[in-house]
């Protein structure tokens, strides 16, 4: 009798376990659209087709008031935060680059000199997630499934692929387009010793080279009424072009503009990502069993076009209309290869962007550019006059001042007094709005202020600087490449307000204006899968999203 009871409950347990596994999506697809302001959904909505953004909105759940909750809003921190459910305070990715206090130089967020490039000889292959200090939901899924659930990360940008895929990924692939790159998909020995055959075949197919073609508008240019005039003074002019307007003949421009760089800086970079992603789904057999796989896709070219031309450009509008078609193509492939209703997708962005400062000024809206290099020089001259010690301020990266503590200690300079002097100097600049001094052991003071909490969430005790400062709205650093186009970094709405769409298996249909945060995504997907939250996650599962 007891034996039969035991057998009954054993069968029930196995049945429930299998049922639970079957309830999970076969594949989770995390899509990040680099530099996508929320209003790109609404501005271009009536021009989108039914199979891309609108399919996600109509069949899934839209969080209309989704924001970043830290400063700085940049690509590296953005991707890390989306997939870990936490902020730079805990995951440690405080910028795309930051000043390393031990090496006394700037380092890249995915720099890893202990690994070797795979598929290239370029140093752009020496990348890994080693500097991200915590797990992603994909890592937790790998642990939960005894490493049976696959994880693949794909992006034109290395940081877009690496942080999204996490530490335990089977592979992360990024595109070799910078520094004279050969236009191949590459990786590093952190993931593999050699590229899989299917990647080699894709690289040899000539697909990347096929995008050296003329970029003209998808539709009649006169119909782009949601954007400003085509050629104008607010947009970057490529070498070999006489003005910034259409058409952009990439085949003619490639020699003077970095080769494959012109493809990455066009909507065709996004097309190439879709090509490679669909091939990866097929070759890696993603979503082919009941153990959930994770695929991360970061569309990078939207960011590059935005930097070149700005949010009001026809180039940006055309890039999003083309991206809508890429999403439709990807979803159709997922329907066919994984099965309609068998996968779950979320889509968001790593940051937004402001309008071009010169355009805002001409529209009588306060804005400007700030020369950070001149400021750092001024600060050092000022400190030399006070202490007769040169170069006490080493760096000003990410709107943070890094001080030379060896010199400060050697000359017995009062650290807090020095910080106060620097802060007063910074406050004298018209375009700097606030300055914040960390403690002697580099702790950011806790505060209930909105902007202060964002800085607190973005501050890492070991990696961040001694003094932090913020600009007034619509201001960013003055560089040659920022005098046209746009940039991003701030805690203002134009940088923090980004789309958040959920769609597919286990997702309700609906929408909310309730404020949500980027850190809520990872715990929501974890809750959907029934797995542990990423180990430093601070976000809340959005239970109203899950069916």
């Amino acid at each position: 009798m007891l034996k039969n009871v035991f057998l009954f409950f054993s069968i029930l347990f196995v049945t429930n376990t299998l049922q639970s596994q079957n309830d999970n999506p076969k594949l989770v697809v995390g899509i990040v659209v680099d530099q996508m302001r929320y209003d790109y959904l609404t501005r271009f909505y009536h021009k989108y087709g039914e199979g891309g953004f609108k399919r996600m909105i109509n069949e899934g759940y839209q969080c209309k008031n989704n924001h970043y909750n830290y400063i700085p809003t940049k690509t590296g921190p953005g991707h890390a935060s989306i997939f870990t459910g936490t902020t730079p305070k805990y995951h440690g990715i405080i910028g795309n680059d930051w000043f390393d206090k031990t090496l006394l130089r700037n380092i890249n967020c995915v720099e890893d000199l202990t690994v070797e490039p795979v598929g290239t000889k370029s140093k752009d292959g020496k990348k890994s997630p080693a500097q991200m200090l915590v797990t992603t939901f994909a890592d937790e899924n790998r642990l939960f499934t005894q490493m049976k659930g696959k994880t693949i990360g794909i992006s034109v940008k290395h940081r877009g692929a690496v942080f999204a895929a996490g530490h335990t990924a089977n592979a992360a692939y990024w595109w070799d387009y910078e520094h004279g790159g050969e236009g191949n998909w590459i990786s590093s020995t952190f993931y593999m010793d050699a590229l899989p055959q299917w990647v080699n075949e894709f690289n040899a197919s000539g697909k990347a080279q096929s995008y050296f073609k003329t970029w003209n508008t998808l539709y009649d240019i006169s119909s782009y009424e949601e954007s400003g005039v085509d050629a104008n003074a607010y947009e970057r002019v490529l070498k070999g072009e006489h003005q910034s307007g259409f058409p952009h003949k990439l085949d003619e421009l490639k020699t003077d503009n970095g080769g494959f760089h012109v493809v990455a800086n066009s909507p065709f970079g996004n097309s190439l990502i879709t090509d490679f992603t669909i091939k990866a789904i097929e070759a890696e057999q993603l979503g082919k069993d009941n153990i959930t796989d994770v695929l991360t896709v970061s569309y990078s070219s939207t960011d590059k076009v935005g930097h070149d031309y700005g949010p009001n450009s026809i180039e940006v509008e055309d890039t999003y209309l083309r991206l809508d078609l890429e999403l439709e193509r990807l979803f159709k492939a997922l329907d066919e290869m994984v099965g309609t209703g068998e996968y779950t997708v979320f889509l968001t962005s790593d940051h937004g962007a402001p309008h071009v400062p010169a355009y805002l000024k001409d529209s009588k809206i306060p804005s400007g550019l700030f020369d950070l290099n001149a400021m750092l020089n001024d600060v050092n001259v000022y400190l030399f006059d006070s202490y007769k010690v040169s170069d006490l301020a080493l760096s000003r990266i990410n709107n943070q001042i890094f001080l030379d503590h060896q010199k400060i200690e050697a000359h017995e300079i009062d650290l807090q007094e020095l910080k106060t002097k620097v802060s007063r100097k910074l406050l004298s600049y018209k375009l700097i709005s606030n300055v914040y001094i960390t403690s002697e052991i580099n702790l950011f003071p806790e505060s209930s202020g909105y902007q202060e909490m964002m800085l607190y969430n973005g501050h890492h005790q070991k990696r961040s600087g001694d003094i932090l400062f913020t600009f007034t709205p619509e201001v960013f650093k003055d560089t040659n490449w920022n005098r046209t186009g746009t940039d991003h970094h701030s805690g203002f709405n134009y940088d923090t307000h980004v789309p958040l769409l959920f769609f597919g298996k286990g997702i309700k249909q609906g929408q909310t204006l309730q404020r949500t945060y980027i850190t809520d995504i990872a715990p929501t997907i974890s809750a959907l899968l029934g797995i542990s939250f990423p180990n430093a996650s601070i976000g809340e599962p959005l239970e109203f999203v899950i069916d």
Side-chain angles (χ1 to χ4, degrees):
M1 179 69 178
L2 287 175
K3 184 177 181 181
N4 290 337
V5 170
F6 176 78
L7 180 61
F8 170 78
F9 281 107
S10 296
I11 293 171
L12 183 63
F13 174 78
V14 171
T15 302
N16 288 339
T17 301
L18 291 172
Q19 183 63 43
S20 176
Q21 288 178 340
N22 290 336
D23 285 343
N24 280 351
K26 293 181 176 180
L27 178 65
V28 171
V29 183
I31 299 175
V32 182
V33 182
D34 205 321
Q35 200 188 117
M36 185 175 183
R37 292 164 54 112
Y38 170 77
D39 66 352
Y40 291 164
L41 274 183
T42 54
R43 261 177 68 197
F44 311 139
Y45 182 83
H46 71 284
K47 282 191 173 161
Y48 291 141
E50 297 300 320
F53 289 115
K54 283 186 179 178
R55 181 178 177 187
M56 295 194 74
I57 292 170
N58 294 334
E59 297 181 23
Y61 204 97
Q62 179 180 189
C63 298
K64 294 184 172 183
N65 192 20
N66 185 62
H67 289 263
Y68 277 86
N69 56 351
Y70 63 82
I71 298 171
T73 41
K74 294 191 174 183
T75 298
H79 283 78
S81 297
I82 291 165
F83 291 89
T84 64
T86 193
T87 70
K89 179 177 179 62
Y90 300 106
H91 62 57
I93 306 304
I94 63 171
N96 292 336
D97 305 272
W98 61 82
F99 184 78
D100 187 286
K101 299 174 185 179
T102 302
L103 299 174
L104 298 181
R105 66 171 177 86
N106 288 349
I107 63 170
N108 185 264
C109 60
V110 288
E111 176 182 316
D112 188 347
L113 302 183
T114 70
V115 301
E116 295 300 322
V118 173
T120 180
K121 295 180 179 178
S122 169
K123 289 183 179 180
D124 287 324
K126 296 176 76 68
K127 309 296 181 186
S128 87
Q131 296 185 92
M132 183 169 68
L133 305 175
V134 303
T135 63
T136 66
F137 76 78
D139 288 326
E140 296 298 336
N141 186 64
R142 291 272 287 160
L143 293 170
F144 183 84
T145 63
Q146 301 301 310
M147 302 296 172
K148 295 174 185 176
K150 282 188 175 182
T151 299
I152 305 289
I154 296 169
S155 178
V156 161
K157 294 182 181 179
H158 39 57
R159 54 190 177 270
V162 166
F163 289 141
H167 299 278
T168 60
N170 300 81
Y173 299 105
W174 53 98
W175 200 42
D176 185 21
Y177 72 96
E178 292 191 290
H179 312 118
E182 298 178 347
N184 291 327
W185 289 94
I186 63 173
S187 192
S188 78
T189 53
F190 182 87
Y191 306 98
M192 63 193 74
D193 294 326
L195 292 176
Q197 184 59 28
W198 70 265
V199 177
N200 287 325
E201 290 173 359
F202 188 96
N203 286 338
S205 70
K207 194 66 181 178
Q209 290 80 356
S210 73
Y211 288 115
F212 283 126
K213 58 184 182 180
T214 298
W215 174 19
N216 220 325
T217 52
L218 187 62
Y219 306 114
D220 190 305
I221 197 168
S222 65
S223 69
Y224 286 65
E225 297 177 347
E226 300 76 16
S227 303
V229 296
D230 185 22
N232 60 69
Y234 311 123
E235 302 173 354
R236 194 160 300 158
V237 178
L238 298 178
K239 293 178 181 178
E241 292 186 328
H242 301 294
Q243 46 84 34
S244 64
F246 284 99
H248 303 291
K249 300 179 180 180
L250 305 189
D251 192 45
E252 296 178 9
L253 296 169
K254 64 183 180 184
T255 301
D256 294 329
N257 293 277
F260 285 100
H261 210 283
V262 296
V263 175
N265 287 42
S266 79
F268 304 133
N270 289 335
S271 301
L272 184 65
I273 288 174
T274 307
D275 296 334
F276 188 73
T277 298
I278 291 173
K279 184 63 178 176
I281 296 168
E282 176 189 22
E284 296 290 346
Q285 294 289 286
L286 298 179
K288 288 298 185 182
D289 57 31
N290 290 328
I291 300 175
T292 303
D293 297 324
V294 175
L295 171 66
T296 70
V297 185
S298 181
Y299 284 103
S300 307
S301 293
T302 44
D303 179 73
K304 294 181 171 299
V305 173
H307 276 293
D308 280 348
Y309 299 99
N312 204 45
S313 65
I314 291 177
E315 280 83 358
V316 161
E317 179 174 354
D318 192 68
T319 296
Y320 276 88
L321 298 183
R322 291 176 181 272
L323 176 61
D324 185 57
L325 298 178
E326 294 303 322
L327 292 175
E328 181 175 4
R329 183 158 69 102
L330 176 58
F331 296 157
K332 285 182 177 178
L334 289 167
D335 289 340
E336 181 181 337
M337 291 189 283
V338 181
T340 304
E342 295 294 338
Y343 60 91
T344 304
V345 182
F346 71 81
L347 181 149
T348 189
S349 180
D350 54 350
H351 54 76
H355 281 284
V356 181
Y359 169 70
L360 293 175
K361 275 190 172 182
D362 289 346
S363 301
K364 301 181 180 179
I365 295 174
S367 62
L369 296 172
F370 186 86
D371 192 334
L372 287 167
N373 289 332
M375 178 270 289
L376 184 65
N377 183 64
D378 288 347
V379 166
N380 274 320
V381 170
Y382 173 69
L383 292 177
F384 182 81
D385 290 341
S386 298
Y387 299 106
K388 305 305 178 188
V389 180
S390 62
D391 298 326
L392 283 169
L394 295 173
S395 175
R396 49 69 182 165
I397 193 170
N398 297 323
N399 283 23
Q400 300 175 32
I401 300 292
F402 290 79
L403 300 173
D404 191 328
H405 286 258
Q406 290 183 348
K407 286 183 180 179
I408 291 169
E409 291 179 11
H411 291 84
E412 299 182 341
I413 297 171
D414 185 289
L415 177 61
Q416 291 306 114
E417 176 191 84
L418 186 151
K419 287 183 178 182
T420 301
K421 284 182 177 289
V422 173
S423 299
R424 287 174 178 167
K425 176 65 175 175
L426 295 180
L427 280 172
S428 70
Y429 292 99
K430 180 180 178 181
L431 296 180
I432 290 180
S433 60
N434 292 284
V435 180
Y436 303 90
I437 303 174
T438 65
S439 71
E440 189 168 348
I441 57 171
N442 198 31
L443 280 173
F444 191 86
E446 292 191 50
S447 173
S448 59
Y450 176 73
Q451 182 170 251
E452 287 76 12
M453 283 305 301
M454 296 185 75
L455 288 166
Y456 178 80
N457 287 336
H459 183 270
H460 191 272
Q461 187 177 3
K462 286 188 174 182
R463 293 178 176 177
S464 294
D466 299 279
I467 298 169
L468 291 71
F469 59 93
T470 58
F471 294 136
T472 56
E474 313 287 1
V475 172
F476 46 83
K477 63 186 177 185
D478 185 8
T479 62
N480 289 334
W481 59 88
N482 270 353
R483 291 170 189 167
T484 52
T486 192
D487 205 349
H488 47 85
H489 71 276
S490 79
F492 294 110
N493 285 328
Y494 50 75
D495 278 339
T496 68
H497 190 191
V498 296
L500 177 55
L501 304 173
F502 293 91
F503 153 72
K505 189 167 189 176
I507 302 299
K508 290 181 181 176
Q509 194 283 325
Q511 60 184 30
T512 184
L513 275 170
Q514 175 181 325
R515 193 176 185 92
T516 58
Y517 294 102
I518 212 72
T519 49
D520 297 332
I521 297 171
T524 300
I525 296 299
S526 298
L528 175 70
L529 299 180
I531 62 175
S532 293
F533 292 6
N535 58 18
S537 173
I538 62 170
E540 296 290 337
L542 303 176
E543 59 180 341
F544 46 82
V545 166
I546 299 174
D547 195 357

